[in-house]
Amino acid sequence: MRESLSANGREPREGYVQVDGATLLYREVGQGKSIIVLHGGPEFDHTYLLPELDWLSDSFRLIYYDQRGRGRSAAGVQPADVSLTSEMEDLERVREHFGLESVALLGHSWGGLLALEYAARHPERVSRLILMNTAPITRHDLTAFVQSRRDNTPDIVEQLHALSANAGYLAGDPDDAAAYYRVHFSPTIRQPDQLESFVANLLANATSDGILRARAIEHRLLQQTWLAEGYDLLSRLNHLTVPTLIVHGDYDFIPVECVKPIADAMSGSRFVLLRDCGHFSYRDQPDEVRAEIIHFMEAPS
C-alpha cells in the first residue's frame, strides 16, 4: 500500500479492528476532531484517496478503513459475508474501537451512501456529515445516472460493454480491469493527464482474486441498494438534523440532479457545486474542498 506523510509530518498509524467474521484494516493520521472516512467503489479500498486526502490531517484526525472483503480487510471473507447490514455493523464497530461517542463521517461516492445509511439508522452517533461527490441514493436516481451516461457518452458506454466481455476482464486480470476503469472514469477526470496515475493508484495492490471478490461483493451490495425494487434512502432523510456538507463537481459524471435533492431533504445542510471539478474533487480542487471542510467542521453545530 502506498504510504504518505501527513502535511504536518506525522506518520500514519495502521492497525486492525476485529469484527464478527472479519478483520478490518484501519489507517489513522493527524490530530484534532475525528473524521471516519468511507471510501467509494464499492469494489475499491481506501488507498485511492491517498495521498491527496491526507492534507486534511493538518487539521483533523482521519480514520480510514478498508471495508469488509476489500483491500487489506479481505482475509477470510467470502462475498456472501458482506451485506448492507454488515457494512453498518462494521462502521459501528470502528466507531466503538476508537471510543467515539459520536463522529463526523466523510463519504466519497459510494461512501456517501453508506454515511447516509448509517446516519439514518443512528443519527445520535453522527456529529457531522461530509458527502463528497456522493453516489445516487435511490433506485430512480441510479436510473437517471445510467441514462445520462447513455445520452451524453454513448461511445463510452459501448466501449465499457466491450471491455467487460473481454476474457481477461472476466478473469479479473488487473491490466484488463485498468483498461476498463481508464474508460469508465475518463469523462469525469477533469485533468486528463491525471487519468493514468489515478488508475494506477486505484489498482496498485490489485490481484485477480481480489478483483473478483470485490466485484462479487459489489454485486451483492447493489442488489440490496440501487437495484432493489423501491430503494429510496432519500425518503428517510427528512427527519435528519445532522449538520451536512455536500460537495459536488460541475464535471462529475453523476448528474447534479441526483445530488441536490439530498440537500433539499436535510435541514441545515450546505450544498457546494465546485467549478471545473469532476468526481474526485479532492484531487481536482483540493484547496477549495479543504477550505469548505475546515469551515464546516469549525462552525457551531
Side-chain angles (χ1 to χ4, degrees):
M1 179 174 69
R2 182 172 62 158
E3 281 295 351
S4 66
L5 285 175
S6 66
N8 55 22
R10 297 187 182 93
E11 290 279 0
R13 304 166 291 282
E14 291 188 350
Y16 290 91
V17 178
Q18 298 297 322
V19 298
D20 185 20
T23 304
L24 306 181
L25 179 279
Y26 73 79
R27 179 180 182 276
E28 179 188 10
V29 63
Q31 294 182 348
K33 294 179 181 177
S34 297
I35 302 176
I36 294 180
V37 179
L38 300 169
H39 65 74
E43 73 271 36
F44 307 137
D45 61 45
H46 83 279
T47 57
Y48 78 88
L49 296 165
L50 305 179
E52 290 83 5
L53 200 60
D54 267 3
W55 36 246
L56 281 175
S57 67
D58 266 356
S59 304
F60 308 106
R61 174 198 190 194
L62 303 179
I63 301 168
Y64 305 86
Y65 72 96
D66 286 349
Q67 293 155 26
R68 181 185 296 234
R70 282 140 290 175
R72 292 166 65 190
S73 298
V77 176
Q78 298 300 318
D81 301 330
V82 183
S83 66
L84 185 58
T85 297
S86 73
E87 297 286 81
M88 297 295 99
E89 291 173 349
D90 289 351
L91 175 50
E92 176 69 352
R93 184 68 188 92
V94 171
R95 182 191 66 81
E96 291 174 344
H97 177 86
F98 287 97
L100 303 170
E101 183 175 350
S102 66
V103 67
L105 301 179
L106 187 161
H108 176 254
S109 194
W110 165 261
L113 181 148
L114 291 183
L116 285 169
E117 277 281 358
Y118 183 84
R121 300 174 190 217
H122 307 291
E124 75 285 357
R125 299 171 194 169
V126 181
S127 59
R128 294 180 188 265
L129 281 170
I130 302 167
L131 307 179
M132 184 184 294
N133 307 99
T134 190
I137 62 168
T138 71
R139 179 170 177 165
H140 176 269
D141 284 337
L142 174 70
T143 302
F145 167 51
V146 172
Q147 190 60 52
S148 173
R149 297 213 76 179
R150 289 173 178 164
D151 293 342
N152 297 321
T153 56
D155 55 328
I156 295 293
V157 173
E158 184 176 345
Q159 290 179 62
L160 292 176
H161 281 313
L163 288 167
S164 64
N166 180 283
Y169 178 88
L170 294 173
D173 181 83
D175 289 338
D176 287 276
Y180 182 92
Y181 290 129
R182 195 174 293 118
V183 173
H184 177 66
F185 289 118
S186 61
T188 198
I189 298 288
R190 191 66 189 97
Q191 301 177 53
D193 61 328
Q194 293 187 4
L195 180 60
E196 287 301 322
S197 63
F198 171 76
V199 172
N201 191 27
L202 194 66
L203 294 167
N205 302 300
T207 64
S208 294
D209 287 345
I211 288 171
L212 293 176
R213 181 191 302 108
R215 281 185 197 159
I217 289 171
E218 176 185 42
H219 178 73
R220 281 183 54 80
L221 291 172
L222 298 194
Q223 291 293 327
Q224 297 171 36
T225 53
W226 291 330
L227 303 182
E229 188 67 34
Y231 180 73
D232 183 2
L233 176 54
L234 185 65
S235 66
R236 296 158 51 202
L237 302 182
N238 291 327
H239 72 286
L240 280 181
T241 58
V242 177
T244 301
L245 172 66
I246 303 168
V247 177
H248 206 66
D250 64 349
Y251 204 73
D252 200 317
F253 59 1
I254 297 175
V256 69
E257 292 79 12
C258 294
V259 178
K260 189 62 166 60
I262 301 173
D264 295 337
M266 300 177 67
S267 62
S269 64
R270 171 172 166 75
F271 178 79
V272 177
L273 183 65
L274 297 176
R275 301 298 174 188
D276 201 32
C277 181
H279 189 61
F280 303 93
S281 56
Y282 61 94
R283 293 173 63 103
D284 289 345
Q285 299 291 354
D287 293 340
E288 289 84 348
V289 172
R290 183 175 185 275
E292 288 288 350
I293 291 175
I294 290 175
H295 175 74
F296 170 71
M297 289 291 293
E298 293 181 348
S301 58

